[in-house]
Amino acid sequence: MCVADDGIDLTAILSQCTNLTHLRYCAPDLKNIEIDSASCISGTSKLISLQLITSSISFDNFASRLRYATQIQMLVLCECEPDVMDALNQYAGPDLEYLHINPNLDCIFPPFVDVEYTVRGGGGLSTVIANKMDTHALDKLIAMLVNRAQSSLQHLHITTIPAAHAAFPGINSVHFGALRTLFWGGITPSLGFAVAVVIRESPCLEELTLQDCEVVDAEMLSALSGLKRLEKLAIIRATDIDHTHLARFFLAHGELMHASPLNEFELVGCSSVLVPDTLSALSTVLTLRRLGLGIQGKDQRVSVAEMDQFLTRLSKNACALESVTLTSLNIVTDTGLLKLGEAEGLIEVVLTNLPRITNQGVHRFVDACSSLRSVRIEQCPLVLDNALADLEKKLLQRAMKYM
């Protein structure tokens, strides 16, 4: 059921629709909803999915409804005050598996534009997506997760507001033994320690994304060394990175050779985040299947020759390489692109805002890479539309040949 009329009382719906299992309630707020009537029917609801799309949710106007819906499995809550985390900690039933706080909405009605995860069941809180976390909310969220989800949490997606910093009084008690996917956006220097602890205490982590980072420091990167199952690492819109520790991370995976689990890496950030030592270490990782590099800014610290050398080593060493994305790199030339074309098994390439590659360069690249099936080229001023049309025709003919 979807209700988008603030004149309809939420408690009345819950008390009268006794067989209701899914409810999306859209209203300006919950403040005027009668609370006492919910307490008298506590525990009788069959509701398993509740989405509250409102302008404000506080402890007082939420706790009674949570006590009423003891079988709830999925909760979506808009514009939560920090003390809502206390209500969840105290009153959410044991069946709660999916919690989405402050979803990013295109409008008051879903679909949400956040990442979504599938609820697979099995008991315990397994998926938490929490956006727009301030200092107080972040502390309470971590405390709730420590109390309720240390053995069940599989997916954690957090974004913080720019001014957020947290004391994390319970951070030393963190251990997420089942966590497989971690996304943390809005990382300030004051949050670095907490992020490092969560990474270090999540030994089964398979996918890690750090986004909108003022700094990715040595402590955070050192924590990666204990992750024996990490398959995907993405560092997006980073301002600064500890290059030494990032290089050590790649070299350690290079030493594992084909036993390394790492198969996907993406780095997008200011020009300072990409340096020759990082590229040299990255080229030793033999198990990479997908690679994305992008720089925001003109003052790049890698020379053309160093990028050519990296692409040469990458094409020779990364024998599993299937997909490469290069964005806003004025150090990528036709020569480097041709070196990349020597990679056996390369299937997909995305080239965006590369001012030095030309019509001739991309044609030679496609001819050299016989396994290539898809090339997307955008905002490359020296690659003309007629060349793009010719490339599409060539790739189509190649695909038809191998059908």
Side-chain angles (χ1 to χ4, degrees):
M1 176 185 286
C2 180
V3 177
D5 185 348
D6 59 348
I8 301 179
D9 187 281
L10 175 59
T11 303
I13 296 171
L14 296 178
S15 60
Q16 295 176 26
C17 302
T18 56
N19 291 318
L20 187 66
T21 58
H22 295 75
L23 174 62
R24 178 181 299 158
Y25 186 85
C26 304
D29 58 58
L30 301 178
K31 293 179 181 178
N32 297 323
I33 296 173
E34 185 65 35
I35 293 177
D36 292 339
S37 59
S39 61
C40 69
I41 50 176
S42 176
T44 63
S45 171
K46 296 181 180 180
L47 199 66
I48 61 174
S49 174
L50 176 61
Q51 300 179 19
L52 297 179
I53 315 300
T54 74
S55 61
S56 178
I57 303 176
S58 67
F59 181 96
D60 289 337
N61 59 32
F62 176 64
S64 62
R65 283 142 201 91
L66 198 57
R67 287 197 297 267
Y68 167 72
T70 57
Q71 299 181 51
I72 204 81
Q73 296 177 15
M74 176 180 178
L75 270 173
V76 178
L77 307 171
C78 282
E79 303 304 327
C80 291
E81 296 179 9
D83 60 5
V84 167
M85 250 59 78
D86 293 331
L88 289 166
N89 203 6
Q90 294 176 42
Y91 300 118
D95 295 330
L96 182 62
E97 298 180 5
Y98 184 102
L99 175 63
H100 197 158
I101 300 172
N102 300 335
N104 295 317
L105 306 177
D106 283 329
C107 60
I108 195 170
F109 294 102
F112 311 123
V113 295
D114 292 311
V115 63
E116 298 284 351
Y117 300 103
T118 301
V119 181
R120 296 185 177 180
L125 187 57
S126 62
T127 298
V128 174
I129 306 173
N131 295 313
K132 297 184 286 187
M133 293 285 99
D134 62 15
T135 298
H136 197 34
L138 203 51
D139 280 337
K140 288 182 175 292
L141 175 67
I142 294 297
M144 183 198 68
L145 294 178
V146 168
N147 186 48
R148 294 184 60 97
Q150 295 216 64
S151 62
S152 61
L153 190 64
Q154 297 182 35
H155 308 287
L156 178 58
H157 183 113
I158 296 176
T159 61
T160 59
I161 62 175
H165 63 278
F168 294 113
I171 196 67
N172 291 326
S173 302
V174 165
H175 182 76
F176 298 124
L179 190 65
R180 302 201 321 267
T181 304
L182 173 62
F183 176 103
W184 201 311
I187 301 174
T188 61
S190 61
L191 291 176
F193 171 72
V195 177
V197 170
V198 173
I199 293 173
R200 187 170 60 248
E201 296 300 325
S202 304
C204 295
L205 205 61
E206 297 173 358
E207 298 184 12
L208 173 62
T209 301
L210 305 174
Q211 184 168 295
D212 297 318
C213 316
E214 289 186 28
V215 61
V216 181
D217 60 26
E219 196 162 20
M220 295 164 61
L221 292 169
S222 295
L224 297 178
S225 63
L227 303 179
K228 306 304 182 185
R229 302 182 184 182
L230 188 65
E231 298 177 0
K232 176 183 176 181
L233 174 62
I235 302 174
I236 310 298
R237 294 195 293 271
T239 303
D240 193 17
I241 291 180
D242 187 296
H243 304 112
T244 300
H245 283 81
L246 184 58
R248 287 177 183 173
F249 168 76
F250 289 134
L251 289 172
H253 278 270
E255 291 174 358
L256 291 174
M257 301 184 70
H258 295 287
S260 169
L262 188 67
N263 59 55
E264 187 169 345
F265 176 65
E266 183 177 6
L267 176 63
V268 178
C270 296
S271 57
S272 61
V273 305
L274 191 65
V275 298
D277 287 347
T278 300
L279 289 179
S280 178
L282 179 59
S283 68
T284 68
V285 181
L286 306 184
T287 51
L288 281 179
R289 289 192 302 106
R290 304 182 67 88
L291 173 65
L293 297 175
I295 294 299
Q296 301 163 335
K298 297 181 180 180
D299 186 21
Q300 300 184 9
R301 300 173 61 178
V302 177
S303 68
V304 169
E306 288 165 336
M307 177 55 74
D308 288 347
Q309 186 178 50
F310 165 70
L311 293 174
T312 300
R313 291 176 176 175
L314 181 70
S315 64
K316 292 180 178 179
N317 294 340
C319 54
L321 193 64
E322 296 177 354
S323 176
V324 173
T325 298
L326 302 174
T327 304
S328 300
L329 293 166
N330 60 22
I331 47 177
V332 175
T333 64
D334 289 347
T335 301
L337 199 58
L338 187 59
K339 297 295 184 183
L340 180 62
E342 297 175 3
E344 297 181 4
L346 188 62
I347 297 173
E348 176 189 31
V349 170
V350 179
L351 308 173
T352 305
N353 191 23
L354 304 182
R356 295 195 180 190
I357 64 170
T358 67
N359 293 342
Q360 184 181 15
V362 294
H363 274 286
R364 292 173 62 197
F365 164 68
V366 171
D367 289 340
C369 190
S370 59
S371 58
L372 201 64
R373 296 294 179 267
S374 173
V375 179
R376 191 166 84 241
I377 301 175
E378 298 176 346
Q379 302 174 39
C380 298
L382 299 183
V383 182
L384 304 180
D385 290 343
N386 60 343
L388 295 177
D390 290 343
L391 286 177
E392 290 181 6
K393 183 178 179 180
K394 183 178 294 186
L395 289 173
L396 180 59
Q397 291 174 343
R398 181 180 293 178
M400 294 176 65
K401 179 179 178 181
Y402 290 98
M403 287 182 64

